Amino acid sequence: MDEFGLLMQGFAVALQPENLVLMLVGVVLGVLIGVLPGLGGANGIAILLPLTFAMPPVSAVIMLSCIYWGALFGGAITSILFNIPGEPWSVATTFDGYPMAQQGRAGEALTAAFTSSFVGAFVAVVMITFVAPVIAGFALRFGPPEFFAVMFLSFAAFIGMGRGSALKTVMAMMLGFLLAAVGMDAMTGQLRLTFGSTEMIRGFDFLVAVIGLFGISEILMSIEDGLRFRGQKARIDLKVVLRTWRELPRHWAIALRSALIGCWMGITPAGATPASFMSYGVARRISKHRAEFGKGRIEGVIAPETAAHAAGTSALLPMLTLGVPGSPTAAVLLGGLIMWGLQPGPMLFVEQADFVWGLIASMYLGNIAGLLIVLVAVPWFAAILRVPFAVIAAIILVVCAIGAYTVNNAEFDIVLMLAFGVIGYVLKKLDYPLAPLVLALVLGDRTEEAFRQSLLISEGDLTVFFHNWLSGSIMAAGIVLAAWPLLSALRLRLARPAVA
């Protein structure tokens, strides 16, 4: 039970007074971000990341991870009270959550959503506690070929398991690789794609790019949509909470099944949104009252919220153990770790044990704090949506500009941020996914380095990626996933009856 002892050491780190304060601040900021439609956890962390530059890495990541937990909780508030998904994964919650609010059961729906979210996250954190050290220990045997194989599998999984067009996913990924290549080649010292600009020598800073791609593009999309907030009022008192908690154990099977679905979808790059829809669909299909789904069934709130939180939390497992993020938010956190001089991967558990276990302990505490805060303060958070969106958008824009400027204290970065915002807006309008682009931007240099080191070891022989069962099996799985859309299309074409 070494993990238990290490976890206790992590609690000693997380329970330091300054870390507890940052934890509470992070949860509150996260709920605010989750309440504002379209902003989201990844956007909020990207915007607020510069605020943590002066903090120790442990404190900074605890605060940022708690922002994420808070955003997961906050998305349910707008979904249930206003029928506006605060997060993409909250769409499925609107199906039954908003009808419950219309029936005067908003307190019951919110309590069920928050409690289910806590359960899903708790299951995922327990899994991370006991599985992460095993994976990290196994990954210590990895060399450059194995690391490239893992990264290739991660990129291929976005192609094979992603939603929407596989071709658009590949094109977004290629754009990310192109942006990651700008600047100085780490292996040769040659300048690439700078076009004679001294400002471009340092390349595109990851943080500037994601602030533009996520924050600015969402402001542009929200302005275009002309958001107007009208919703139901809610008040959660102790009687409602206790009554709902007495009912929830009857649905333990739905919660457990949804948590397992969420953990699996989080470890793979499928993400929280597909997990929430899949869990909702499975719950509806199995239920004896499937005809009542969409009309205010509490199971329709429990299933998507449990799965979304389990997926969002478990996405940190591959990031910590292998250095491969399982979600856009995990990709932003990965970029933050790299900026603080930390190298996510198996050696992180050896060289920075206090950091890793302090972060894992903060996941337990952050989710408890998040549950208590949202249960107490729902009316206050919901009141934020009474503020005119023009005011909120202006504040977010100023925060984005300050965040981009503080990265390198360069005005040129604000111009880049706005340019990336327009690029992100165009990509969203054309239905190109941003997650593969961000993943390629974060991991592009490391993937290229592992690939080139592998070829140097083998003197240019590509079979180095299949030289043992470990890298060979990972590469084979990646090739299958990358080709999965083509295989699926071919199967459908063969299964289609011939037209005479």
Side-chain angles (χ1 to χ4, degrees):
M1 296 297 289
D2 291 341
E3 291 83 3
F4 184 77
L6 292 169
L7 183 61
M8 291 301 101
Q9 296 178 19
F11 275 111
V13 174
L15 287 172
Q16 293 176 4
E18 62 270 22
N19 289 338
L20 281 175
V21 172
L22 290 174
M23 197 180 299
L24 294 175
V25 171
V27 169
V28 173
L29 288 174
V31 176
L32 292 175
I33 288 167
V35 165
L36 296 174
L39 197 54
N43 307 338
I45 291 176
I47 292 169
L48 298 175
L49 189 57
L51 300 179
T52 64
F53 285 171
M55 300 180 188
V58 176
S59 301
V61 173
I62 285 176
M63 178 178 173
L64 292 175
S65 63
C66 287
I67 290 174
Y68 186 32
W69 314 143
L72 286 167
F73 280 110
I77 297 175
T78 52
S79 298
I80 292 172
L81 298 184
F82 293 84
N83 202 29
I84 300 173
E87 302 280 359
W89 54 76
S90 298
V91 173
T93 306
T94 64
F95 298 159
D96 285 273
Y98 187 65
M100 289 180 70
Q102 290 179 310
Q103 297 164 13
R105 300 162 59 203
E108 181 184 348
L110 288 168
T111 302
F114 298 150
T115 308
S116 301
S117 299
F118 171 80
V119 170
F122 181 79
V123 171
V125 175
V126 170
M127 180 197 66
I128 290 174
T129 303
F130 294 100
V131 174
V134 177
I135 296 177
F138 181 72
L140 285 172
R141 299 188 292 176
F142 282 20
E146 287 77 18
F147 272 112
F148 175 78
V150 169
M151 293 176 191
F152 175 75
L153 177 63
S154 179
F155 290 118
F158 269 102
I159 300 171
M161 301 181 66
R163 296 173 296 124
S165 169
L167 180 60
K168 289 183 176 181
T169 300
V170 172
M171 293 178 68
M173 204 175 289
M174 292 303 103
L175 178 58
F177 281 123
L178 179 65
L179 295 174
V182 174
M184 185 177 292
D185 184 347
M187 296 188 70
T188 65
Q190 297 291 320
L191 296 180
R192 304 187 298 190
L193 303 175
T194 59
F195 301 102
S197 171
T198 56
E199 297 281 0
M200 301 295 290
I201 292 177
R202 63 175 179 265
F204 292 116
D205 192 279
F206 158 78
L207 184 56
V208 174
V210 295
I211 288 176
L213 289 170
F214 286 101
I216 302 300
S217 66
E218 284 295 343
I219 290 176
L220 296 175
M221 293 288 289
S222 299
I223 290 173
E224 181 184 22
D225 292 341
L227 289 178
R228 297 291 185 272
F229 304 130
R230 298 184 182 87
Q232 308 295 320
K233 293 184 178 180
R235 178 174 171 267
I236 299 181
D237 55 34
L238 186 59
K239 290 182 180 179
V240 173
V241 172
L242 294 178
R243 185 175 69 247
T244 307
W245 280 356
R246 282 195 297 269
E247 181 182 355
L248 289 179
R250 294 169 42 201
H251 307 291
W252 67 268
I254 292 175
L256 179 60
R257 182 172 58 245
S258 299
L260 295 176
I261 291 173
C263 287
W264 170 249
M265 299 291 274
I267 294 172
T268 63
T273 304
S276 63
F277 278 100
M278 180 182 293
S279 297
Y280 182 88
V282 171
R284 181 176 182 177
R285 191 176 302 116
I286 295 177
S287 175
K288 298 177 182 178
H289 310 281
R290 67 181 66 180
E292 299 178 19
F293 272 70
K295 300 177 182 178
R297 293 291 301 182
I298 195 170
E299 299 99 307
V301 174
I302 295 171
E305 287 295 315
T306 304
H309 271 238
T313 305
S314 59
L316 299 180
L317 175 63
M319 184 203 76
L320 290 173
T321 56
L322 301 174
V324 177
S327 70
T329 306
V332 176
L333 286 173
L334 173 64
L337 295 182
I338 294 173
M339 293 176 68
W340 291 312
L342 300 173
Q343 187 62 53
M347 289 304 296
L348 193 66
F349 284 76
V350 178
E351 298 173 348
Q352 301 286 342
D354 287 346
F355 167 82
V356 173
W357 290 101
L359 173 60
I360 293 175
S362 75
M363 295 181 187
Y364 289 96
L365 299 175
N367 277 289
I368 294 173
L371 177 63
L372 296 177
I373 288 172
V374 291
L375 284 175
V376 171
V378 161
W380 301 335
F381 287 120
I384 295 169
L385 295 180
R386 315 293 179 189
V387 179
F389 185 76
V391 175
I392 295 173
I395 294 173
I396 294 173
L397 183 61
V398 170
V399 172
C400 288
I402 294 173
Y405 178 80
T406 55
V407 174
N408 298 301
N409 291 329
E411 295 179 4
F412 182 70
D413 285 343
I414 298 179
V415 177
L416 285 179
M417 176 199 72
L418 296 174
F420 275 111
V422 174
I423 293 171
Y425 170 78
V426 172
L427 291 177
K428 287 180 179 179
K429 292 295 291 183
L430 297 177
D431 201 25
Y432 281 81
L434 291 184
L437 189 157
V438 173
L439 183 65
L441 184 61
V442 173
L443 294 180
D445 288 338
R446 295 176 61 199
T447 303
E448 180 188 7
E449 183 179 347
F451 180 77
R452 292 167 71 177
Q453 287 176 346
S454 301
L455 293 185
L456 286 173
I457 293 171
S458 66
E459 297 181 350
D461 186 1
L462 289 173
T463 59
V464 67
F465 300 112
F466 300 89
H467 76 293
N468 61 36
W469 69 269
L470 180 57
S471 61
S473 58
I474 296 173
M475 285 293 294
I479 292 171
V480 171
L481 280 174
W484 192 256
L486 292 176
L487 296 175
S488 299
L490 180 61
R491 181 174 56 85
L492 290 174
R493 190 167 184 176
L494 294 175
R496 189 180 304 157
V499 180

